[in-house]
């Protein structure tokens, strides 16, 4: 029915916002100064190319729109990066980027293998789910290094503030503001997790993501 077309525009708007945010947030995170990349970025060039040739075809065929995937993009960048471990004043160590191999061959190879996997679905079905979950678990833990949210949450376990590692956000931000911001950010993280875990409210996820701009 005609009314269903206009009704579906609401969740479609949410998916559009989610795709835009996912695309741009991934690009910003990967190209942040801490990643050590040297080549210039094209923040909206990829979206422009998709809008010209890929999105119209997907819309015509009723296929989902492609966009960046944050976790694989971060893991891919980290796999091409060499790190030096440096001490942090006040205790602890931190990994600092020393070199990044910037090229396109690995991206091409990864997606060529994804395409080839379509013909190997009968073989891939025999891979235990525990193996797949283990891969994502390793990806998650490996991406925690250098994550400021978890570094600030870890400060909650240190009662003596004089023993805080001398991160930049520790030396430049008042302790009250630091912990207040961490609590708000951690609460938003929990809400995002709940929205992705409960299918009944999952449609709210993209709109909540967009609202984080104002937090």
């Amino acid at each position: 029915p005609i009314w269903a077309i206009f009704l579906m525009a609401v969740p479609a708007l949410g998916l559009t916002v989610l795709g835009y945010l996912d695309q741009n947030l991934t690009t910003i995170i990967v190209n942040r100064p801490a990643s050590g990349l040297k080549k210039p970025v094209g923040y909206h060039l990829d979206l422009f190319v998709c809008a010209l040739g890929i999105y119209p075809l997907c819309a015509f065929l009723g296929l989902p729109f492609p966009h960046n995937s944050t976790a694989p993009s971060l893991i891919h960048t980290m796999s091409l990066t060499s790190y030096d471990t440096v001490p942090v004043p006040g205790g602890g160590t931190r990994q600092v980027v020393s070199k990044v191999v910037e090229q396109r061959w690995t991206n091409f190879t990864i997606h060529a293998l994804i395409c080839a996997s379509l013909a190997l679905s009968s073989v891939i079905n025999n891979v235990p789910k525990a193996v797949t979950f283990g891969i994502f678990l390793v990806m998650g833990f490996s991406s925690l290094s250098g994550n400021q949210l978890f570094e600030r949450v870890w400060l909650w376990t240190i009662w003596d503030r004089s023993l805080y590692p001398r991160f930049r956000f520790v030396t430049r931000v008042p302790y009250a503001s630091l912990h207040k911001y961490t609590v708000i950010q951690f609460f938003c993280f929990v809400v995002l997790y709940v929205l992705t875990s409960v299918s009944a409210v999952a449609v709210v996820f993209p709109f909540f993501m967009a609202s984080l701009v104002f937090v």
Side-chain angles (χ1 to χ4, degrees):
I2 299 297
W3 60 266
I5 298 177
F6 296 96
L7 180 63
M8 290 300 102
V10 177
L13 176 62
L15 289 174
T16 303
V17 171
L18 180 60
Y20 178 81
L21 290 175
D22 200 8
Q23 178 81 22
N24 285 275
L25 289 175
T26 302
T27 306
I28 291 173
I29 293 173
V30 169
N31 291 281
R32 58 185 175 177
S35 297
L37 300 178
K38 302 298 182 183
K39 294 183 179 180
V41 299
Y43 281 113
H44 301 293
L45 180 60
D46 47 2
L47 276 178
F48 178 71
V49 172
C50 288
L52 287 181
I54 299 177
Y55 290 164
L57 180 62
C58 290
F60 180 76
L61 298 176
L63 299 175
F65 285 4
H67 51 79
N68 281 343
S69 184
T70 306
S73 298
L74 285 174
I75 298 299
H76 178 244
T77 303
M78 293 169 61
S79 67
L80 299 174
T81 305
S82 299
Y83 296 92
D84 291 331
T85 301
V86 298
V88 176
T93 60
R94 196 170 196 176
Q95 289 186 325
V96 178
V97 175
S98 60
K99 180 184 178 182
V100 183
V101 181
E102 299 184 56
Q103 38 72 43
R104 297 182 182 274
W105 286 107
T106 50
N107 267 322
F108 177 81
T109 304
I110 289 170
H111 289 85
L113 290 174
I114 293 175
C115 182
S117 68
L118 297 176
L120 300 173
S121 58
S122 59
V123 178
I124 296 176
N125 285 335
N126 296 322
V127 178
K129 287 186 177 181
V131 175
T132 307
F133 291 153
I135 293 174
F136 282 104
L137 183 64
V138 172
M139 290 171 60
F141 274 106
S142 61
S143 62
L144 291 181
S145 177
N147 187 297
Q148 284 195 14
L149 171 60
F150 291 96
E151 287 178 346
R152 285 184 273 109
V153 170
W154 181 253
L155 295 180
W156 295 348
T157 64
I158 304 176
W159 295 101
D160 188 354
R161 292 177 176 177
S162 63
L163 300 178
Y164 281 1
R166 311 314 290 171
F167 297 124
R168 294 182 64 185
F169 52 79
V170 172
T171 58
R172 298 187 178 189
V173 181
Y175 292 137
S177 300
L178 176 67
H179 292 306
K180 184 187 300 183
Y181 178 73
T182 303
V183 169
I184 295 173
Q185 192 175 15
F186 188 78
F187 172 77
C188 292
F189 169 76
V190 172
V191 173
L192 285 175
Y193 178 80
V194 171
L195 290 178
T196 56
S197 302
V198 182
S199 58
V201 294
V203 69
V204 184
F205 175 78
F207 298 102
F208 184 78
M209 278 283 293
S211 69
L212 294 180
V213 176
F214 304 101
V215 176

